[in-house]
Amino acid sequence: MNPAARKVQRIYLTLTLGNTLAASFIWGINTLFLLDAGLSNLEAFAANAFFTAGMVIFEVPTGVVADGWGRRVSFLLGTATLSVSTLLYYFLWQLSAPFWSWAVVSVLLGLGFTFFSGAVEAWLVDALHFSGYDGALETVLGRGQMVSGTAMLIGSVAGGVIAQATDLGVPFLLRVGVLMAMFTVALWLMHDVGFTPERSAHPLRATRAVLAASIEKGLKNPPVRYVMLSAPFTAGVGIYVFYALQPFLLELFGDRGAYAIAGLAAAIVAGAEILGGWLAPRVRRLVRKRTTVLILSGAGSAVILVALGFTREFWVALVLLALWALVAEVGTPVGQAYLNDMIESRQRATVLSFASLMGSSGGVVVQPLLGRTADVSGYPASLAVSGVLQILAVPFLYASRRQGAAADESHAR
């Protein structure tokens, strides 16, 4: 890696560290926060579904911002939007607000995250190519995942401990503070290189063009299409499981006020993310095709979820949680590299955002469904059903493999 590429990687890792740290302060206690505000399981996961609905609604328009106004502008708008909407969440909790207000603010949170999805990754890939980097994308993306996991480990544990020592609202205020700091860092360090924004005076026309490009370069491209079609099952289930594990583990532990335990669940996932990022390029070297890793990751994590749904021992549940997260995270950088190698630079942020949209659309349906399952039959049953739903992603990944895309066998260095 030459000095220019190393600088790009350093900026990417800094942005990843700060963003993930800010977000993860609440990841360990978010479901408990919603339940403490007076929402039922159905309402809590419906609020999360409105969050993912916001991501679905705004993915394409914010893709216009990233590709038309620049990835830096998109990142800055994301930090600002998330800061404001997180503050609103805190005030809703203090007021024990009605469900409809949680739904509205959850959509705004989704808007904030859509400014990030695709934009940062697209910025990285274009900047690396511009700097002359010719190594494997899995290597840099894997390092990003390791940094993200480290930040998540610190943030989620700190969030749970701080919530237990103070109250459930303080981690939300910490998130706002770090996001404001990241706005300043991005303003100083992040500049679009290797990419020239194509600004349009007609936002609606640009949105239609971006949507058309997403379909043309995404859904109409068979190997990309099948990866996108697998996303509702993998991403939709993943969102639910991550947040359902908080009350599930507290239930097994026997103390619903032990918020540090909820933080521990997120910390285990973070540790798996670190290890998965380190393992991904190494596992990739052992197999000829990237889809082999994706298929084994999807099937393995689904089986573990079903087993998790049948366990009643706290420590066994922790072990299964760690295995589930590790198996899933090994596939993440490989999947990112696979998609990026099949997308042209001009539409990179757009198509990546559209892929994220597909995953979010699954979350809109899956979260209320599984939340209702938890209300009626308990968290263990909902986790077992999650595993069954996730296995449905595997046929789509196999269909992508059958297309024989060159990106599937791209050499991992």
Side-chain angles (χ1 to χ4, degrees), residues 9 12-18 20-21 24 27 137-155 267-282 285 326 329-330 332-333 336:
Q9 178 183 252
Y12 166 67
L13 296 180
T14 300
L15 297 175
T16 300
L17 176 68
T20 309
L21 180 64
S24 62
W27 282 347
L137 286 176
E138 283 98 336
T139 302
V140 181
L141 292 168
R143 288 170 184 161
Q145 184 170 302
M146 292 171 69
V147 168
S148 175
T150 302
M152 181 179 170
L153 179 64
I154 296 169
I268 289 174
V269 174
E273 188 174 346
I274 297 169
L275 184 56
W278 181 79
L279 284 173
R282 290 159 176 80
R285 294 188 192 107
L326 179 59
E329 294 297 346
V330 166
T332 300
Q336 290 174 308

Side-chain angles (χ1 to χ4, degrees), residues 29-66:
I29 49 95
N30 184 67
T31 304
L32 306 176
F33 176 83
L34 295 174
L35 296 175
D36 188 67
L39 302 183
S40 66
N41 279 313
L42 174 59
E43 289 173 328
F45 287 104
N48 286 342
F50 273 99
F51 162 73
T52 49
M55 296 187 72
V56 170
I57 294 167
F58 294 113
E59 279 289 4
V60 171
T62 54
V64 172
V65 173

Side-chain angles (χ1 to χ4, degrees), residues 309-397:
F310 284 94
T311 188
R312 297 297 180 270
E313 292 293 329
F314 175 74
W315 295 109
V316 174
L318 286 183
V319 172
L320 290 175
L321 162 60
L323 286 174
W324 167 74
L326 179 59
V327 170
E329 294 297 346
V330 166
T332 300
V334 178
Q336 290 174 308
Y338 182 44
L339 270 181
N340 272 286
D341 275 352
M342 294 188 288
I343 304 170
E344 297 176 7
S345 175
R346 281 185 61 188
Q347 288 85 30
R348 193 180 306 282
T350 296
V351 177
L352 291 175
S353 290
F354 198 77
S356 178
L357 180 153
M358 296 293 289
S360 298
S361 66
V364 173
V365 177
V366 165
Q367 290 186 88
L369 171 66
L370 293 174
R372 181 58 180 164
T373 303
D375 273 335
V376 174
S377 304
Y379 288 109
S382 71
L383 292 173
V385 173
S386 297
V388 174
L389 289 175
Q390 184 164 326
I391 202 69
L392 297 177
V394 172
F396 292 106
L397 295 171

Side-chain angles (χ1 to χ4, degrees), residues 11 33 55 57 65 119 128 140 150 159 165 167 172 185 202 218 221 223 227 231 258 287 297 332 338 359 389 412:
I11 294 171
F33 176 83
M55 296 187 72
I57 294 167
V65 173
L128 284 175
V140 181
T150 302
D167 59 49
F172 286 78
V185 170
H202 305 282
N221 185 355
V227 173
V287 297
S297 173
T332 300
Y338 182 44
L389 289 175

Side-chain angles (χ1 to χ4, degrees), residues 7 11 14-15 72 76 181-191:
K7 180 180 178 181
I11 294 171
T14 300
L15 297 175
R72 178 177 182 247
L76 294 173
M182 290 312 300
F183 181 94
T184 304
V185 170
L187 193 63
W188 176 37
L189 293 178
M190 188 182 186
H191 302 282

